Every structure is written in structure tokens, then in C-alpha cells.
Amino acid sequence: AIRITQSPSSLSASTGDRVTITCRASQGISSYLAWYQQKPGKAPKLLIYAASTLQSGVPSRFSGSGSGTDFTLTISCLQSEDFATYYCQQYYSYPWTFGQGTKVEIK
Amino acid sequence: QITLKESGPTLVKPTQTLTLTCTFSGFSLSTSGVGVGWIRQPPGKALEWLALIYWDDDKRYSPSLKSRLTITKDTSKNQVVLTMTNMDPVDTATYYCARSDIVATTPTAPFDYWGQGTLVTVSS
């Protein structure tokens, strides 16, 4: 199975900050990587797919980049509603695998 | 409007078999490219992909759980059923179902719509 290493596991930031989360795959996955946002007690929400394509309705302050093994999620100007846990997921090969999550907390 | 909803027992005993049903609307599992999968999340932990079934009845399973899982679909009822045998307390988790919809330009797609999840506790 492809291992996904996500970092950091948590971070503290303030509203307006630029935040970057990274995922590294144990082998190349082309651009078959998605990012999800999950708030407490809620289901994950798809933010980005194909590494850099914004899902419909997702604010443009979210962006993704990367291909192969290294990927990045950037939130350009953190808003109060962005405090949540973020997961990356590869869907290049089965079994699909998720990163361990990054909890974005208020500083 | 696309919706998915999980249903099933909230409490199962060790060694029992868990049966979860995902009932969806707003799309059809007979449409080419569509799949429905199951993902679980133990309390305070990360997401874990379990299984996926596609419109053409192609089925994929997590290798670590494959011997315990069965996924089936009932297209007429808009339902997908997951069974997991020999439940153990470590299987305590929120179980989600979610849709994958492959578009013409890509051979695979992530989960774009999710159910609210159902918490299953395994305890005697």
C-alpha cells in the first residue's frame, strides 16, 4: 500500500495567516491526490482533487500543488471557519490511503 | 441534490457481524463511472478507507480487512451494504459512506459527497 506522510500533525495560526500543509507519498501517484477538510462531528468535505483542482464552491484562498510524491495545501489568508482538521488522500492505486491529518488551531 | 445516509446498529458485541446500509439519492449506481465507498474513523483518529463498489460491480477492498468485508449494491433501492464479520472493540469508529464519480478524462476520482456518518461501538 502507498503510505502518505502528512505534516505537520498540528499547527497554531492566526486569522489572516498563510498556512501550508504537506503530504508525501511513498511512491509516485501522479496527480491523484485529494484534500479534505473535517470539522468536529462532521463528515470530511472535499476541497481539492487532482492535486490542484478546486472543488466547486470552495473558496479561492485554498490552493493545492504538487505531483509525483510531494504535495502542498495552502490556505492563503486563514479565516475563522478554516480552523479544522485537514486530510490528504491518494486515489492512484488501491487501497486508497489517507494522511494522518493536520489540525489547524487558533493561536 | 446528492445525499447519502448510513444506517445500522450503534452497538455490536465482539465476534458479531456488522451490517451497515448506505442509502443515497440524487445519483444512480447504474451510471457509468459512479462508485460508493466506505471509510471509517476511530474516535480521535485518522480516516481509513475500507471498500468501494462501482457501477459495473467492480469491488475493491482494504487488504488488511478484506477477509472480513463484503460490499454489495442494490441499484433498484439506491443502497450499498457493507458487512464486516468478527467485530472487535478496535473496530469502534464512525463509519461513513461516500460517492466517487469518475469523469471521462480521468480513470479514478476521490469522494465528492459523504454521508453524515454513523458511530458503531463494539463492546460486550
Side-chain angles (χ1 to χ4, degrees):
Chain A
I2 297 174
R3 295 185 312 277
I4 302 292
T5 302
Q6 187 173 343
S7 62
S9 56
S10 66
L11 64 90
S12 296
S14 301
T15 303
D17 284 353
R18 181 182 183 90
V19 167
T20 299
I21 300 168
T22 64
C23 279
R24 173 166 287 177
S26 61
Q27 64 187 75
I29 58 170
S30 184
S31 296
Y32 295 108
L33 187 104
W35 291 95
Y36 300 89
Q37 177 193 65
Q38 186 179 33
K39 295 183 178 180
K42 299 295 186 181
K45 172 188 173 183
L46 180 64
L47 298 176
I48 288 170
Y49 62 95
S52 61
T53 303
L54 211 59
Q55 176 72 346
S56 176
V58 174
S60 59
R61 63 181 179 272
F62 291 92
S63 64
S65 65
S67 68
T69 60
D70 295 313
F71 302 86
T72 300
L73 171 70
T74 299
I75 309 172
S76 61
C77 183
L78 200 64
Q79 301 298 301
S80 58
E81 60 266 33
D82 301 336
F83 292 97
T85 300
Y86 293 84
Y87 293 93
C88 58
Q89 179 223 338
Q90 67 82 18
Y91 53 101
Y92 176 78
S93 70
Y94 301 103
W96 290 0
T97 45
F98 291 88
Q100 290 304 298
T102 295
K103 186 173 184 179
V104 177
E105 300 174 299
I106 300 172
K107 182 183 286 184
Chain B
Q1 180 189 5
I2 291 173
T3 64
L4 302 96
K5 188 173 184 179
E6 307 85 356
S7 60
T10 57
L11 179 66
V12 297
K13 290 179 168 47
T15 76
Q16 286 187 336
T17 295
L18 171 68
T19 299
L20 293 173
T21 300
C22 176
T23 303
F24 55 86
S25 63
F27 67 95
S28 172
L29 201 39
S30 60
T31 300
S32 178
V34 175
V36 172
W38 288 91
I39 307 96
R40 71 179 179 180
Q41 185 173 39
K45 295 188 178 180
L47 301 163
E48 179 184 16
W49 179 85
L50 300 178
L52 182 56
I53 188 166
Y54 286 103
W55 82 101
D56 59 358
D57 211 37
D58 182 21
K59 301 171 185 177
R60 305 286 177 164
Y61 295 100
S62 169
S64 63
L65 294 167
K66 186 174 183 177
S67 64
R68 299 173 54 204
L69 295 175
T70 303
I71 190 169
T72 60
K73 62 181 175 69
D74 186 331
T75 305
S76 65
K77 292 183 178 179
N78 282 350
Q79 290 181 334
V80 170
V81 174
L82 181 76
T83 61
M84 181 180 291
T85 61
N86 194 25
M87 293 292 285
D88 182 272
V90 300
D91 297 312
T92 294
T94 296
Y95 287 76
Y96 296 98
C97 63
R99 187 191 82 152
S100 170
D101 187 7
I102 299 171
V103 297
T105 55
T106 62
T108 180
F111 296 118
D112 56 357
Y113 290 90
W114 293 61
Q116 64 190 24
T118 185
L119 176 61
V120 177
T121 301
V122 184
S123 175
S124 54

